[in-house]
Amino acid sequence: MIAIFRRELKAYFFSPLGYVFIGFFLLLSGYFFSVSNILRATVNMAVFFSNLSLVFLFLIPILTMRLISEEIKNRTDQLLFTSPVSLTGIVLGKYLAALSMLLITLVITGIYTIFLNIFSDPPMGEIITGYIGFFLLGASFISVGIFISSLTENQIIAAVASFSVLIILWFINWIIPYASNPMFVKVLEWFSMLKRFEVFNMGILSLNNIVYFVSFIITFVFLTIRVLEKRRWS
Amino acid sequence: MIEIKNLTKKYGNHVAVDNISFTVEKGEILGFLGPNGAGKSTTMNIITGYLPSTEGTVTIDGYDILEQPFEAKKRIGYLPEQPPLYMEMTVAEYLDFVMKIKKVKQKGKSHIDDIMSLVQIGDVKNRLIKNLSKGYRQRVGLAQALIGNPEVLILDEPTVGLDPKQIIDIRNVIKDLGKEHTIILSSHILPEVSAICERVIIINKGKIAAIDTPENLSQALTNERKLIVRVAGEEKQVMKCIQELEGVRNVEVQGQEEPDAIDYIIESEPGIDIRKPLFYVLSKNQFPILMLKPLTLSLEEIFLQLITSEKEVINSDSNI
């Protein structure tokens, strides 16, 4: 698993993919930080995080599209599946590599909080909670992305499909105001990732939201493993 | 070392591999021959654990490939039809990665260097795989299979894309490896199989059509002993001389390759060696023999014969 993780992480920097992801993410986060924090002269990073969560929709599929589809297309899966490595090890190695890219990028954006600390006295607890929620949201999106990447051998299709699915997950939040059935509203609110992310963004660290995201991630990673298993048996 | 029992692979209704059984002994080189789509690659994919079989078992050194995949896979080096290469890595990085996922702990760098010199890719070790020619990629693929010095090597068309000199080099490498390893190798180049392999399996439409040594295969199919002989002299007289010999069943004129000499194909009765009497009778009549050699079927001919005879059976069935 560690060998696969390291290869995968390196592969992001062998191709333009890693640079594109980090570069564009930092460009947009810089823009949002300037607009929502510097120009407004506020230490509240909630607006920054909600704006940036939109960027995830576009950039996470880029991070995940090639993870498994490329292996199948180049037949390198034959090397992995005939090596003494478990499917779980392969999928986890890849997932953690994408997750590390996200983490690296988020750590770089930590510079903004240093600025805030120099010029003011920001509520660090709230900001860190926001970061945790933001990271869990990104981690969930990655698990969707790796799952879709296992379904096709075409990277473009993987990227477009992941993007569409993430948009649909986003839509759930937009449907809520139009739903009349209170039961339906409840279900949608329970399922909506954004609603749960906003709770973190308000500075509330609640266990059930963490459990929600973690179980979401485990479900999709598990599904990815099952898809690969099924592909071999069919 | 490798034991395959009643192996069957179905894709829906299509039967790709149909009830195949064979064993390969330690240190043996087994050749896998067959037309495209015969099920060679599928069989190899099952043996290496890439695909599970629908029915039947594969055992490597006593370990079932599905029941104890880790133990079995550790013992196998596999070169698939298309070498599984990561284009964006250098050769050295790639082989290092393979060593890690195969959990090879021994020797480290010197092990990779040994393999690279064995398949002659030392001069490209710091180049990106995507910039390598097909021949080099194929050899990197072979190097990958050799990592960890596995006891069993499964090579799917190992010499494809190589130039003639490299083909000979790689064949010699495989032959050398065969002294210590158990090898299954597939090929569509028949002389290659007869040059390297101790035993050949001919597979057609997912079934084993024949399994034997290359020599026995040739002999089994040439029921009668046939000789080709080139004799200088007048055709009718030479024919008469040969036909009168005891033990000659049939004589045919094959053609003329040299001026004043004609090639004949002589079919003798089983168990009778007519070469000496042939020589005496022709020299007595002063017809010099310019060439005399036994006519054995090449693997190509055996291959075609096995495959076409099966076709005829199927055709005649459908005619009824």
Side-chain angles (χ1 to χ4, degrees):
Chain A
M1 189 186 97
I2 293 159
I4 287 169
F5 166 75
R6 287 182 51 182
R7 198 208 80 79
E8 226 35 76
L9 197 56
K10 268 194 210 159
Y12 278 123
F13 296 101
F14 287 146
S15 67
L17 221 62
Y19 299 102
V20 166
F21 177 79
I22 293 184
F24 275 94
F25 194 90
L26 291 179
L27 179 74
L28 289 164
S29 73
Y31 168 77
F32 286 128
F33 182 71
S34 313
V35 170
S36 61
N37 287 78
I38 297 180
L39 294 181
R40 290 194 194 172
T42 169
V43 291
N44 184 353
M45 285 183 88
V47 180
F48 167 76
F49 282 133
S50 355
N51 283 335
L52 212 51
S53 59
L54 251 174
V55 175
F56 268 170
L57 289 183
F58 300 95
L59 287 185
I60 295 281
I62 290 180
L63 206 55
T64 58
M65 64 181 185
R66 45 161 290 282
L67 278 177
I68 293 172
S69 55
E70 196 181 43
E71 302 268 3
I72 297 168
K73 181 151 197 167
N74 291 341
R75 301 281 188 88
T76 42
D77 58 332
Q78 285 193 313
L79 171 65
L80 298 183
F81 295 163
T82 57
S83 297
V85 190
S86 68
L87 272 180
T88 313
I90 294 169
V91 173
L92 274 185
K94 285 172 173 292
Y95 177 75
L96 291 179
L99 203 61
S100 305
M101 287 297 289
L102 179 69
L103 196 63
I104 291 167
T105 318
L106 288 187
V107 165
I108 298 174
T109 65
I111 296 171
Y112 305 143
T113 63
I114 296 174
F115 291 150
L116 293 180
N117 272 301
I118 293 172
F119 296 108
S120 177
D121 184 23
M124 281 315 284
E126 278 177 34
I127 290 174
I128 288 168
T129 312
Y131 261 116
I132 292 172
F134 196 53
F135 177 70
L136 285 172
L137 183 73
S140 310
F141 284 3
I142 291 173
S143 70
V144 174
I146 193 172
F147 169 67
I148 290 171
S149 179
S150 72
L151 297 173
T152 170
E153 58 180 66
N154 187 319
Q155 293 187 32
I156 307 295
I157 291 176
V160 172
S162 308
F163 176 62
S164 314
V165 170
L166 294 182
I167 287 273
I168 290 166
L169 287 173
W170 206 259
F171 264 136
I172 291 177
N173 218 35
W174 293 351
I175 297 168
I176 294 171
Y178 302 103
S180 49
N181 186 332
M183 188 64 196
F184 190 46
V185 170
K186 234 186 161 131
V187 170
L188 287 180
E189 277 186 342
W190 184 88
F191 196 74
S192 169
M193 291 176 115
L194 267 193
K195 266 262 159 356
R196 288 175 186 273
F197 166 60
E198 277 165 8
V199 175
F200 282 97
N201 219 354
M202 285 185 271
I204 303 163
L205 192 63
S206 69
L207 185 66
N208 67 2
N209 286 336
I210 293 177
V211 170
Y212 168 84
F213 278 118
V214 171
S215 40
F216 186 93
I217 293 163
I218 291 173
T219 307
F220 274 96
V221 169
F222 176 75
L223 283 176
T224 310
I225 297 167
R226 302 312 300 177
V227 166
L228 291 180
E229 191 106 305
K230 190 193 157 269
R231 190 185 276 276
R232 298 173 62 212
W233 283 92
S234 62
Chain B
M1 194 70 197
I2 308 174
E3 200 178 352
I4 284 134
K5 262 192 205 154
N6 307 328
L7 199 69
T8 301
K9 178 73 184 176
K10 288 179 190 162
Y11 293 106
N13 286 328
H14 174 67
V15 182
V17 176
D18 193 358
N19 202 15
I20 282 182
S21 301
F22 60 89
T23 53
V24 190
E25 298 304 325
K26 198 173 168 63
E28 190 180 13
I29 306 182
L30 178 83
F32 236 51
L33 270 177
N36 291 333
K40 294 184 304 247
S41 294
T42 307
T43 311
M44 292 187 145
N45 277 334
I46 295 171
I47 296 172
T48 52
Y50 177 63
L51 293 174
S53 57
T54 312
E55 273 165 51
T57 56
V58 174
T59 334
I60 310 285
D61 200 15
Y63 296 101
D64 189 297
I65 192 77
L66 291 178
E67 304 290 330
Q68 292 152 296
F70 281 30
E71 286 302 322
K73 284 173 182 176
K74 267 187 198 168
R75 287 165 171 75
I76 303 176
Y78 182 32
L79 171 64
E81 208 171 359
Q82 190 185 337
L85 306 172
Y86 290 102
M87 295 299 162
E88 75 282 359
M89 294 174 114
T90 66
V91 173
E93 279 172 343
Y94 172 69
L95 293 178
D96 187 56
F97 168 68
V98 173
M99 201 159 102
K100 280 181 185 141
I101 58 165
K102 290 201 169 172
K103 303 192 169 88
V104 178
K105 291 191 181 87
Q106 42 153 334
K107 299 165 216 164
K109 247 198 152 53
S110 71
H111 180 51
I112 292 182
D113 286 341
D114 287 347
I115 290 172
M116 286 200 290
S117 65
L118 187 67
V119 296
Q120 299 166 19
I121 50 170
D123 49 332
V124 296
K125 72 174 180 184
N126 291 321
R127 282 177 59 185
L128 289 179
I129 292 174
K130 70 175 163 198
N131 296 331
L132 296 181
S133 67
K134 196 166 187 295
Y136 269 112
R137 288 183 190 181
Q138 188 70 24
R139 282 185 278 165
V140 175
L142 185 61
Q144 164 272 126
L146 298 177
I147 294 265
N149 209 11
E151 293 156 62
V152 174
L153 290 174
I154 312 281
L155 311 173
D156 200 349
E157 306 201 348
T159 56
V160 162
L162 302 178
D163 65 41
K165 188 187 170 295
Q166 293 168 342
I167 288 180
I168 292 166
D169 288 346
I170 291 297
R171 274 185 202 165
N172 289 335
V173 168
I174 294 172
K175 265 192 164 173
D176 278 348
L177 289 167
K179 287 170 192 159
E180 289 165 26
H181 299 71
T182 308
I183 301 179
I184 299 182
L185 133 146
S186 83
S187 180
H188 59 261
I189 310 164
L190 301 148
E192 176 166 293
V193 170
S194 55
I196 306 177
C197 301
E198 290 144 24
R199 218 152 49 105
V200 179
I201 290 183
I202 295 180
I203 181 170
N204 189 32
K205 295 195 177 78
K207 285 182 182 154
I208 291 179
I211 175 163
D212 215 328
T213 62
E215 298 79 36
N216 283 355
L217 276 176
S218 325
Q219 267 173 21
L221 281 147
T222 44
N223 294 328
E224 319 84 9
R225 218 189 145 95
K226 282 187 183 175
L227 292 171
I228 181 159
V229 59
R230 183 173 297 168
V231 185
E234 210 262 321
E235 186 187 320
K236 272 183 191 153
Q237 287 175 320
V238 174
M239 280 284 261
K240 197 168 163 268
C241 279
I242 299 172
Q243 273 164 342
E244 281 169 358
L245 264 178
E246 199 177 324
V248 172
R249 190 187 276 175
N250 192 20
V251 188
E252 276 171 41
V253 175
Q254 206 211 6
Q256 193 168 14
E257 301 264 321
E258 273 181 64
D260 306 322
I262 291 164
D263 291 2
Y264 305 88
I265 293 176
I266 306 171
E267 201 179 301
S268 62
E269 302 284 348
I272 298 174
D273 190 352
I274 60 156
R275 285 175 299 177
K276 279 182 191 166
L278 185 71
F279 167 78
Y280 288 129
V281 74
L282 288 174
S283 66
K284 202 175 79 186
N285 292 293
Q286 300 205 327
F287 296 124
I289 296 177
L290 305 180
M291 181 187 83
L292 173 66
K293 67 171 183 186
L295 187 70
T296 48
L297 284 181
S298 68
L299 266 180
E300 252 109 356
E301 291 165 294
I302 299 166
F303 183 62
L304 283 173
Q305 197 166 327
L306 279 166
I307 284 161
T308 44
S309 63
E310 197 157 321
K311 258 186 202 143
E312 280 162 12
V313 172
I314 291 160
N315 284 344
S316 60
D317 280 351
S318 60
N319 286 342
I320 303 162

